[in-house]
Amino acid sequence: MVSLDHINLSVENLRDSLDWYHDLFHFKVVEEGQHRGTPYAIVKNDQSMLCLYELPTRAKPEASEHHKVYHFGLRVTDSEAWEKHLQSLNIQPHLVWDYPHSKSWYLYDPTGHEIEVCYWHNNKIQFQS
């Protein structure tokens, strides 16, 4: 069995990114330090982990670069609570899309990484046949 362990992201400002991922997704710092002089942190929420490395010179991806590794998906199980949470933080997704069996909100973190937040209708992962 294989499952996703973590996603490693370069971020412009580590502190801003830690606050953003904590406030929006409730990721908590489980490790911080320096790797070859670069500040980093590992954040965790349940079994999901992100490794964030500060790289102030990192260029933001262009909108046309959708098929590079600038996009990852997270799942929520309560769409109403998720939408209220977004509103409470005054965060506007740049796109909301209804698929046949799910709904997705697309937003950017402070560095420009695109994140797709998915809600599967009835909390059941399914696809069209």
Side-chain angles (χ1 to χ4, degrees):
M1 173 181 219
V2 175
S3 62
L4 181 66
D5 182 70
H6 71 277
I7 298 171
N8 191 322
L9 301 171
S10 297
V11 299
E12 287 178 324
N13 183 293
L14 183 59
R15 287 291 140 212
D16 288 350
S17 294
L18 290 174
D19 290 345
W20 192 85
Y21 279 98
H22 177 267
D23 292 347
L24 186 57
F25 297 115
H26 307 291
F27 277 91
K28 294 188 178 8
V29 175
V30 294
E31 182 177 310
E32 284 186 271
Q34 297 263 332
H35 178 71
R36 296 182 182 163
T38 300
Y40 79 92
I42 298 173
V43 295
K44 185 174 185 289
N45 180 336
D46 191 32
Q47 296 300 308
S48 300
M49 291 185 291
L50 301 174
C51 298
L52 307 175
Y53 285 83
E54 187 169 85
L55 182 62
T57 58
R58 184 196 178 286
K60 290 190 187 295
E62 298 295 322
S64 63
E65 295 180 319
H66 177 78
H67 292 284
K68 291 187 179 180
V69 185
Y70 293 111
H71 167 120
F72 63 91
L74 299 173
R75 186 179 316 138
V76 296
T77 57
D78 184 333
S79 63
E80 290 180 24
W82 168 246
E83 287 181 329
K84 287 179 184 175
H85 186 53
L86 282 173
Q87 290 172 356
S88 74
L89 295 172
N90 199 27
I91 293 176
Q92 292 291 322
H94 70 87
L95 177 66
V96 177
W97 196 265
D98 286 304
Y99 294 101
H101 300 287
S102 64
K103 181 174 183 175
S104 290
W105 297 261
Y106 295 85
L107 44 109
Y108 295 107
D109 76 2
T111 299
H113 297 289
E114 184 180 55
I115 302 157
E116 176 184 358
V117 178
C118 307
Y119 169 75
W120 290 88
H121 301 309
N122 303 315
N123 287 312
K124 182 179 178 187
I125 298 173
Q126 58 187 3
F127 297 93
Q128 289 181 315
S129 1

